[in-house]
Amino acid sequence: MRKLVFAGVLLASVICSCADNAIEEQVKVDGGVICGTVTENVAIYKGIPFAAPPVGELRWKAPQPVIPWEGVLEAKEFAPAAVQGGRGNYSEDCLYLNVWTPAKTTKDKLPVFVWIYGGGFAGGATSDPLFDGEVFAASGVVYASIPYRLGKLGFMAHPELSAENEHGVSGNYGILDLVAALQWIHNNIEKFGGDPAKVTIFGESAGGIAVSMLCASPLTKGLISGAISESGGSFGPARPTTYPGENMRLLKDAEQDGLGIMSDLGCSSLAELRALPAEKLVSRGLTPGGGWPIVDGYVIPDDQFKMYQAGNYNDIPVLIGYNSDEGGSFSGEKDPAKHIASVELRYGPYAKQLLEVYPVTETSVPKSARDLMRDAAFGWQTWAWARLQTETGKSPAYLYYFDQHPEYPEDSPRAGYGAFHGAEMEYVFHKLSADKQDSAEEKHLENQIFNYWINFAKYGNPNGEGLPQWDDFSVAKQTMLLKGTESRMIDVPSEKAMWVLDSYFQWRRTPEGAAWAK
């Protein structure tokens, strides 16, 4: 629990009771009173508990209501991040969010921008300096960053865990954490000058995938009004053996992983598992699985593609996209023969067609081949999302393709490489690296992207004065190219190849394709 400062008397003016309802250092929220840091331009509250610590008997349970505290809770420092591999300030007691607000009164009703970090559902922290919210608050929105449990502590399923759950499910605790944080924001954000009816979530990589899942989950109905997913999307079918873009597993398969993990750890009961030090659950050598959300029939009711086809999702404006060379960050094989073998292993009867439209050369695995990984994991996911929402929903989808990158010399080992995974982040957060600060082109793109994102948070539409027109997705006007001073609407890159990939995903949803993938 965060540090408490006990006060002899708590006045009714915790949030000032004077006529202007001014934002003050002390705010009454669910659970008690918090004390933040208030400057002339922004008020900052860090480490606010939004649920009970998920420890002991609450390990592998849905987040429970926050435990009330007495006195004043200091909310001036980040709480520890969720337990994960590597060194850092980590704790299983990790369900604390952060708020930056420029509001002057509790009646300001400012738009709310909620950040969800990435990290493969295995790492990440709201305390990362890149995710500081002051730059967003300075642009007129209330900014919040929310955490979630990671790895096997956040996503392990097990038959006994499902049996003790009122919905008969287990495994999606990290996503439930995000839902609980959004519910807290809905209940409390007015006290920070925010509008609970104007909440836009945004995230990158696993954070963007989580955004996609939250858009589909019935548990977020009424909690979100817009969404931005950077290199996210979760529209691939479930598969027992997972691959990027086909990351989801069914509950029954994930439960078997949980049994294997219990065996690996030498435990015979949930009580023994819950008594283990958290660090034991991030050690190497455990049965794979338990580190990714699953199709559980409750939090994530079904294959998200099918849910969107049926119109079963939160019909809200979305801004979604991916980077030009995501495959350069994830394609492991450099040898053409090994690359071909990996494609044949994953795609089976569709491998030949995919190798024709995503070709290798005799001596290398160039970008044309890497783009298969890019599109399977990110490009197709967001393109399918935009198409489905356009076909079945009423809210617009804005699709982007980020392609800002150095032009490497032909003799460079980086020749032919585009924008890597996560390359857009420094532009979104208005924190260009030092080597780009003096470039007029880089600053131009930074301001452009930042303003598109802020406009979307405020209005559900990225367009604004001085920005290239960004049309919502349609067959005729498909995607916004984000690059230097060239930003403009273009056709979806590699679209013909993506239609071949689309046919693979369609086949995977047939009885034949589902049986082949077992």
Side-chain angles (χ1 to χ4, degrees):
M1 183 58 70
R2 310 292 291 150
K3 182 179 178 182
L4 294 174
V5 177
F6 289 93
V9 179
L10 289 178
L11 301 178
S13 59
V14 167
I15 284 288
C16 181
S17 61
C18 53
D20 62 1
N21 293 291
I23 302 294
E24 298 232 333
E25 291 181 7
Q26 293 187 5
V27 180
K28 177 70 170 66
V29 296
D30 289 354
V33 179
I34 61 172
C35 178
T37 303
V38 179
T39 68
E40 182 179 351
N41 299 315
V42 63
I44 305 169
Y45 306 86
K46 298 177 180 178
I48 308 170
F50 64 88
V55 300
E57 288 298 313
L58 297 186
R59 180 185 285 179
W60 297 308
K61 286 186 180 290
Q64 299 299 301
V66 67
I67 299 172
W69 59 90
E70 296 181 358
V72 180
L73 180 67
E74 280 207 352
K76 299 181 179 181
E77 297 181 0
F78 290 109
V83 172
Q84 54 198 273
R87 298 179 179 179
N89 184 22
Y90 306 142
S91 173
E92 196 171 0
D93 180 5
C94 61
L95 300 185
Y96 301 84
L97 56 77
N98 317 289
V99 175
W100 286 253
T101 178
K104 299 303 180 185
T105 79
T106 58
K107 296 182 178 181
D108 283 8
K109 293 277 189 178
L110 298 179
V112 184
F113 212 16
V114 181
W115 170 248
I116 302 171
Y117 52 74
F121 294 108
T126 61
S127 57
D128 187 319
L130 178 62
F131 307 151
D132 181 85
E134 198 150 355
V135 66
F136 291 109
S139 297
V141 300
V142 176
Y143 170 87
S145 55
I146 59 178
Y148 53 101
R149 282 171 279 179
L150 301 167
K152 290 174 172 58
L153 287 164
F155 298 101
M156 190 187 79
H158 190 283
E160 291 180 51
L161 288 172
S162 298
E164 71 178 21
N165 180 272
E166 63 179 313
H167 303 287
V169 301
S170 59
N172 280 328
Y173 306 107
I175 302 300
L176 286 167
D177 293 341
L178 296 174
V179 174
L182 290 171
Q183 186 64 62
W184 186 97
I185 287 169
H186 182 80
N187 294 342
N188 293 276
I189 206 65
E190 279 186 297
K191 299 166 185 178
F192 301 89
D195 185 350
K198 190 64 176 175
V199 174
T200 298
I201 54 176
F202 74 125
E204 184 266 347
S205 193
I209 292 170
V211 165
S212 169
M213 294 169 176
L214 293 168
C215 285
S217 178
L219 304 185
T220 57
K221 185 175 179 60
L223 301 181
I224 53 177
S225 61
I228 297 176
S229 175
E230 303 166 32
S231 302
S234 183
F235 288 82
R239 183 171 180 159
T241 301
T242 60
Y243 291 90
E246 293 174 275
N247 307 85
M248 301 297 286
R249 310 187 78 206
L250 299 178
L251 175 61
K252 62 182 180 64
D253 296 318
E255 287 177 336
Q256 293 306 303
D257 283 342
L259 289 170
I261 292 165
M262 176 182 276
S263 176
D264 290 349
L265 291 167
C267 296
S268 59
S269 69
L270 286 182
E272 289 181 26
L273 271 179
R274 284 180 167 134
L276 287 177
E279 293 73 20
K280 287 276 190 182
L281 291 150
V282 295
S283 61
R284 298 185 184 277
L286 295 180
T287 296
W292 200 273
I294 61 172
V295 179
D296 65 351
Y298 171 61
V299 181
I300 301 172
D302 199 354
D303 179 332
Q304 196 162 307
F305 191 96
K306 293 180 180 179
M307 292 177 66
Y308 269 67
Q309 281 183 316
N312 296 330
Y313 60 95
N314 291 292
D315 190 355
I316 56 177
V318 297
L319 188 157
I320 55 182
Y322 58 104
N323 299 350
S324 63
D325 206 358
E326 308 261 15
S329 301
F330 294 96
S331 296
E333 300 297 347
K334 306 298 182 185
D335 176 82
K338 291 181 178 179
H339 174 82
I340 290 169
S342 70
V343 172
E344 290 173 342
L345 177 65
R346 173 174 178 178
Y347 296 101
Y350 276 80
K352 182 180 178 184
Q353 295 178 58
L354 289 167
L355 287 166
E356 288 174 354
V357 294
Y358 294 101
V360 299
T361 71
E362 290 185 2
T363 59
S364 68
V365 181
K367 185 176 181 298
S368 61
R370 295 196 304 270
D371 285 350
L372 173 56
M373 177 64 79
R374 177 199 71 188
D375 289 344
F378 304 107
W380 180 86
Q381 308 290 331
T382 47
W383 180 61
W385 187 350
R387 286 190 294 123
L388 287 166
Q389 179 147 329
T390 300
E391 291 168 2
T392 64
K394 297 179 180 179
S395 301
Y398 297 92
L399 185 64
Y400 75 81
Y401 179 77
F402 179 83
D403 192 35
Q404 183 72 355
H405 59 86
E407 297 297 337
Y408 301 101
E410 289 188 11
D411 60 352
S412 165
R414 299 291 296 174
Y417 276 74
F420 56 85
H421 185 65
E424 84 291 353
M425 296 275 281
E426 60 182 310
Y427 301 85
V428 170
F429 280 87
H430 220 275
K431 291 182 176 67
L432 278 185
S433 56
D435 62 317
K436 298 175 183 176
Q437 289 290 340
D438 294 331
S439 167
E441 178 181 276
E442 296 284 3
K443 294 294 290 183
H444 174 86
L445 182 61
E446 177 189 42
N447 289 327
Q448 192 177 84
I449 290 176
F450 181 79
N451 285 318
Y452 275 139
W453 265 236
I454 284 291
N455 288 344
F456 186 84
K458 290 180 176 179
Y459 313 115
N461 185 319
N463 292 292
E465 185 177 352
L467 294 170
Q469 175 65 27
W470 189 339
D471 298 309
D472 54 318
F473 182 87
S474 70
V475 174
K477 298 177 179 179
Q478 296 208 350
T479 186
M480 167 62 73
L481 169 70
L482 296 175
K483 181 175 182 178
T485 56
E486 307 171 35
S487 297
R488 64 188 187 280
M489 295 299 297
I490 61 169
D491 293 333
V492 170
S494 306
E495 184 182 2
K496 290 182 180 179
M498 266 214 276
W499 277 113
V500 179
L501 184 59
D502 186 77
S503 68
Y504 163 76
F505 282 118
Q506 288 186 39
W507 171 74
R508 278 278 293 104
R509 288 185 167 86
T510 67
E512 179 190 8
W516 173 84
K518 288 183 179 178

